[in-house]
Amino acid sequence: MDIRHLRYFKAVSDCGSFTRAAEQLHIAQPALSMAIRKLEAELELTLLHRRDRRVRLTDEGQRLYLHAQRMVQASEDAKLEMAELKGLQRGEVRVGVSSMLGSYYFPPVFMAFRQQYPQLTLSVTDAGTDRLRQLLLNGELDLAVIVDEDCPSELQAERFLSEQMLVTCGQDHPFATQHSIRSEDFFAQDLLLFKEGFFHRKVVERMARDGGFKPRISVETNLITLIKTMVSQGFGVSTLLPMVIDKTDNLITRSFAQPVWLHLSLAWRKDGYLSQANRTFADFMLGKR
């Protein structure tokens, strides 16, 4: 049995919900569900009752849970002891992220990492994807989050997040009554966008280039709150990730008629030395720890 599958099984059992367990584990819910199904298929047993978004252990699941508790704890103890033997008592992780991800995606990731590795220091740089890529190539950063399509041959990258970019408008905007938005209609609007070099802006620029459109940019800013406030008041439209939209923002989101996806990867230099601390963070981020 894969220890990760047992860890996932234990988390679902403890949380009583796939959704809460996925949030706790920082993985996508479909990936979590697939891992549990693989475990059940391997054992040829049903481990969980799934009803009304709640899950509870079957008799077989209760028996496995006792073993999973011991095995997961033993795994964590072994990793800690081996880390100490390898000198992981201290070290610095130098990682670069965008302001949007730094504000909305990474806080729980960083907190979970610090809780598991309190002896390691996190040094976080906030910049656009172009700047982060350059800092990485220059050796000023050890790890950075970049857009997949921006990965040069000198970098090794592993995808950790795919999010759909959504058209964002105010509640009284004509887009609010539509099911999806065509690119030509989006580019006919006044746009509030991030500044050049940030992944949000690069996605829009790529769409405009591919479709032969000229964006009507009314506001350029990296202040997400400003974008959301002005859009909610009818001063144009934007495109944002679902993670930054809250019910209290008074915003409407719609998919593009041809869905637009943003694929983000954690990258590092192929020929550079990646310290044990940085390898630990990379493995943690990519679900290998």
Side-chain angles (χ1 to χ4, degrees):
M1 285 181 286
D2 189 327
I3 189 66
R4 283 183 297 170
H5 291 172
L6 289 176
R7 183 179 291 111
Y8 293 171
F9 166 73
K10 181 178 180 298
V12 173
S13 303
D14 291 341
C15 294
S17 161
F18 278 88
T19 300
R20 288 198 294 272
E23 292 173 351
Q24 181 186 97
L25 294 165
H26 306 294
I27 63 173
Q29 185 174 330
L32 176 59
S33 298
M34 183 178 296
I36 299 301
R37 286 197 297 270
K38 286 183 178 179
L39 180 60
E40 290 180 320
E42 179 184 357
L43 297 175
E44 298 182 342
L45 292 169
T46 299
L47 302 174
L48 298 169
H49 290 301
R50 302 162 173 85
R51 294 177 183 172
D52 300 326
R53 297 186 179 181
R54 294 283 301 174
V55 297
R56 61 182 180 85
L57 294 170
T58 63
D59 291 341
E60 295 81 1
Q62 291 177 10
R63 298 287 293 273
L64 180 63
Y65 182 81
L66 298 176
H67 293 287
Q69 275 186 310
R70 292 193 293 268
M71 294 173 71
V72 169
Q73 186 59 58
S75 173
E76 296 300 325
D77 291 344
K79 285 194 294 185
L80 179 59
E81 185 173 349
M82 294 303 103
E84 291 173 347
L85 290 175
K86 290 188 290 187
L88 199 57
Q89 297 92 336
R90 60 185 181 276
E92 181 183 37
V93 177
R94 299 189 305 167
V95 60
V97 301
S98 72
S99 57
M100 184 186 295
L101 293 177
S103 298
Y104 292 92
Y105 180 84
F106 274 99
V109 175
F110 288 151
M111 288 187 287
F113 180 77
R114 284 284 298 145
Q115 186 173 25
Q116 187 166 340
Y117 301 99
Q119 71 278 23
L120 299 182
T121 301
L122 279 169
S123 176
V124 183
T125 297
D126 167 22
T129 187
D130 285 350
R131 177 62 177 159
L132 292 175
R133 184 179 64 248
Q134 194 57 51
L135 291 172
L136 201 55
L137 291 170
N138 293 345
E140 297 176 61
L141 285 176
D142 300 312
L143 300 164
V145 174
I146 64 173
V147 179
D148 275 13
E149 64 189 40
D150 293 331
C151 186
S153 59
E154 299 93 333
L155 299 180
Q156 176 72 37
E158 290 195 33
R159 183 180 297 178
F160 71 92
L161 179 67
S162 292
E163 284 275 297
Q164 189 175 1
M165 297 290 288
L166 299 177
V167 177
T168 309
C169 65
Q171 295 180 342
D172 296 328
H173 194 280
F175 283 175
T177 63
Q178 300 182 33
H179 180 264
S180 60
I181 310 302
R182 299 183 305 169
S183 295
E184 53 264 42
D185 295 332
F186 174 77
F187 284 106
Q189 307 295 313
D190 289 334
L191 303 179
L192 291 85
L193 301 178
F194 276 62
K195 293 184 177 181
E196 291 185 358
F198 284 74
F199 64 75
H200 167 279
R201 176 68 170 267
K202 292 178 74 66
V203 170
V204 175
E205 289 175 341
R206 186 192 68 218
M207 291 174 58
R209 185 172 59 251
D210 293 346
F213 305 114
K214 184 176 181 180
R216 290 169 39 183
I217 302 173
S218 61
V219 177
E220 290 182 308
T221 178
N222 294 332
L223 299 174
I224 300 174
T225 301
L226 177 59
I227 291 177
K228 293 197 294 184
T229 300
M230 293 190 67
V231 168
S232 70
Q233 296 300 314
F235 290 92
V237 302
S238 188
T239 177
L240 297 171
L241 298 179
M243 70 175 73
V244 312
I245 306 296
D246 187 82
K247 293 180 180 178
T248 61
D249 290 329
N250 297 318
L251 293 170
I252 300 296
T253 58
R254 294 290 183 264
S255 299
F256 284 97
Q258 294 184 338
V260 177
W261 288 87
L262 179 71
H263 303 296
L264 296 171
S265 291
L266 185 67
W268 56 91
R269 296 187 312 281
K270 289 180 179 178
D271 61 353
Y273 172 72
L274 203 60
S275 71
Q276 183 62 41
N278 284 298
R279 288 198 299 272
T280 298
F281 180 78
D283 288 345
F284 182 87
M285 266 289 302
L286 299 170
K288 299 177 182 178
R289 287 180 181 265

